[in-house]
Amino acid sequence: MPKVGMEPIRRDALVRATIAEIGRAGTLDVTVAQIARRAGMSAALAHHYFGGKEQIFLAAMRHILTLYGAEVRGALAAAEGPEGRVRAVIRASFSEGSFRREVVSAWLHFYVLAQTVPEARRLLAVYQRRLRSNLVAALRPLVGHRAGEVADRLGAMIDGVYLRQALVGRAPDRAAAVRLVEGLLAAELAR
């Protein structure tokens, strides 16, 4: 008989184990058994809660996106002025919770999965729309009608930094990532 109230705890443990295993392996070639072992449970229980590896991974990405959204909202709430809001979004994109090796690795595989899995494509589209919307709203007072194109460049740069980081195989340098994207922002504001 299942233990009452354990499902949310076990689901959370499986999500966290998925992120950790993908970070360890650097690939989606991890098994449900490896994920379940890291979470301290059986593969059968993992399948019971999620159905399969793809669903576990999608739950992990929803978790990552939820944490990222909270980071952005918190940063925006503390930001002052339009430029401060743009910088807040950039810094939240490279926060300690979002820009760490295992999460970066999960993002790389999420981009790949989004090419073939409709639910992953939908989640990626939601993330991209929210990022663009936050950037456009903050940029409009600074660059006027160019806000959309500048937001697209900044968004592409943020995603590009994640992709590059996933391929270098060393600990992410948050400060360098922020400097790189803020350098593009400075160039756009100077135009």
Side-chain angles (χ1 to χ4, degrees):
M1 208 150 137
K3 293 182 181 177
V4 177
M6 288 302 293
E7 182 174 349
I9 294 166
R10 288 179 176 155
R11 281 179 165 273
D12 185 60
L14 285 165
V15 162
R16 291 176 190 280
T18 301
I19 296 165
E21 277 299 305
I22 290 169
R24 180 198 57 75
T27 176
L28 277 178
D29 290 335
V30 297
T31 66
V32 173
Q34 288 170 308
I35 293 167
R37 193 175 314 115
R38 182 177 282 264
M41 62 190 80
S42 71
L45 200 52
H47 280 288
H48 169 74
Y49 287 129
F50 289 101
K53 186 170 76 169
E54 189 175 286
Q55 289 77 24
I56 294 171
F57 181 67
L58 288 171
M61 283 313 300
R62 280 188 209 93
H63 175 77
I64 288 169
L65 289 165
T66 298
L67 295 177
Y68 170 70
E71 288 271 355
V72 171
R73 285 189 301 279
L76 286 172
E80 293 184 21
E83 188 173 341
R85 291 179 65 77
V86 177
R87 290 180 187 280
V89 172
I90 293 169
R91 290 184 179 139
S93 295
F94 300 106
S95 70
E96 191 172 332
S98 295
F99 198 59
R100 56 183 208 265
R101 194 175 64 77
E102 61 272 16
V103 174
V104 169
S105 191
W107 271 102
L108 175 65
H109 299 292
F110 181 53
Y111 293 131
V112 173
L113 195 64
Q115 294 177 31
T116 57
V117 176
E119 178 62 12
R121 187 176 310 118
R122 187 192 70 74
L123 283 174
L124 183 58
V126 168
Y127 154 74
Q128 289 172 334
R129 279 193 310 268
R130 287 180 182 163
L131 176 61
R132 187 177 196 277
S133 174
N134 283 326
L135 289 170
V136 167
L139 286 163
R140 195 166 283 123
L142 300 169
V143 297
H145 70 281
R146 293 188 317 115
E149 67 186 57
V150 174
D152 289 342
R153 279 195 280 280
L154 289 171
M157 175 73 90
I158 290 167
D159 287 348
V161 169
Y162 269 78
L163 290 173
R164 284 179 109 186
Q165 182 60 53
L167 301 173
V168 297
R170 64 178 178 270
D173 183 344
R174 287 182 280 285
V178 168
R179 278 193 308 274
L180 187 63
V181 180
E182 284 186 341
L184 174 60
L185 173 63
E188 291 290 348
L189 294 179
R191 281 182 64 193

